Amino acid sequence: MLTRNKQTLPFGGIHPDDDPDIEIHNPRDAAREHLWHESRLLFRDLIFALMLLALVMVFIIQPVKVEGTSMLPHLHDGERIFVNKLIYYDDYRCAPKVQRGDVIVFWFPDDPSKSYIKRVIGLPGDTVEMHDGRVRVNGKDLEEGYLDPQLNLSHASRAPVYVKPNYYFVMGDNRDNSSDSRIWGLVPKKYVYGKALFRYWPLSTASLISHDAHYSAIPPGTPFRRDGGSISDPDDQ
C-alpha cells in the first residue's frame, strides 16, 4: 500500500497561493534587513563623528609631542599633550588673557617653522631680572615651587629686561638646560597659539596640565601708553 507524502502548509490549512494579498515575512530576512539598516546608520554617525573630531583638532585642540628636557620636571621628553588653540583667541571678549605661570606653545621668534613650549614669567610692562638663582619681577622674587632645585644650580645674574607691550618673557622649568627669553629675547603675542591643556601619553601619567603657580604680591608692571611709550610711576615724581 502506497502512502502519499503530506506537505505541511505554512499557515495551517491555508496556502499562500490561495490569497494573493497574503504577505509572507521571513524572520531571517527581516533581521538581515534590520542589521543592514542599523549598520548604515552607524557608519553615517561614525563619519559625522570623525568630521567633528577633525574640526576640533584643526580649530580648537591640537596634539603635540614634547621634545627635549627644558620643561622638566613638569613635562618630559617624548610625552604627548593636547594644546588648546582657542583659549587666547582675541576675537572672543570672554577669552582669558595670558597669565603669569601659563605653560604656552608658540612659534619660535627666530624660526617660526618651529614650535616651543615654555612658562610665562613676564607680562607686558613687567621688568624681569635674575639674581642668585632667583627670578625677580618688578622688584619682587617669584616663589616657584614647581622648580626642581637640582635643575636650577646656576646662580648667574642677568640685567633687568623690560617686557614690551604685546610681548612675553618666557622660561623653561629646567633653568640649567633651557633655551628661552634669557637667550633669544621676548615672544610676540601674535606668535602664541595655544596653552598646554592635557597630558595624554603615556597613559600612566595622563593628567590635566595645571597652572601650577601661585604668585603673590607681585607689584604691577610699568604702564604704557597706546603708542608704546611708558608712563612713569607717580610715586617716582
Side-chain angles (χ1 to χ4, degrees), residues 7 9 14 16 28 30 37 74 77 84 116 127 140 170 193 228 235:
Q7 182 180 6
L9 298 178
I14 302 176
R28 292 184 179 179
H37 179 70
H74 204 66
D77 182 39
N84 186 334
Y116 276 18
T127 298
K140 179 75 174 183
V170 300
Y193 68 83
D235 294 336

Side-chain angles (χ1 to χ4, degrees), residues 28-85:
R28 292 184 179 179
D29 293 340
R32 189 179 299 111
E33 182 179 353
H34 178 73
L35 179 61
W36 171 243
H37 179 70
E38 291 297 325
S39 298
R40 286 187 299 174
L41 292 178
L42 180 61
F43 181 74
R44 181 201 63 185
D45 293 342
L46 180 61
I47 293 297
F48 281 133
L50 291 175
M51 292 175 60
L52 179 61
L53 179 61
L55 291 175
V56 170
M57 299 295 277
V58 169
F59 295 106
I60 302 178
I61 302 296
Q62 176 180 334
V64 299
K65 179 181 179 181
V66 177
E67 296 183 354
T69 59
S70 69
M71 286 301 292
L72 288 175
H74 204 66
L75 296 173
H76 294 75
D77 182 39
E79 289 185 334
R80 296 182 182 274
I81 64 175
F82 285 127
V83 171
N84 186 334
K85 297 171 61 178

Side-chain angles (χ1 to χ4, degrees), residues 107-190:
W107 290 296
F108 180 39
D110 291 347
D111 184 0
S113 67
K114 300 178 181 179
S115 291
Y116 276 18
I117 181 169
K118 305 290 179 184
R119 188 183 297 273
V120 176
I121 298 298
L123 301 173
D126 285 345
T127 298
V128 182
E129 58 183 308
M130 272 69 67
H131 71 98
D132 302 323
R134 303 292 298 273
V135 177
R136 179 174 292 171
V137 178
N138 302 330
K140 179 75 174 183
D141 287 353
L142 295 182
E143 296 298 330
E144 300 183 282
Y146 46 81
L147 298 181
D148 182 347
Q150 297 303 314
L151 302 176
N152 187 24
L153 299 177
S154 175
H155 289 177
S157 298
R158 293 180 181 271
V161 176
Y162 174 72
V163 184
K164 301 180 295 184
N166 297 315
Y167 282 80
Y168 301 102
F169 190 99
V170 300
M171 298 177 69
D173 290 349
N174 183 357
R175 298 289 161 77
D176 292 342
N177 188 26
S178 174
S179 174
D180 48 42
S181 290
R182 295 172 295 176
I183 299 173
W184 39 257
L186 305 175
V187 177
K189 178 181 178 181
K190 63 182 180 180

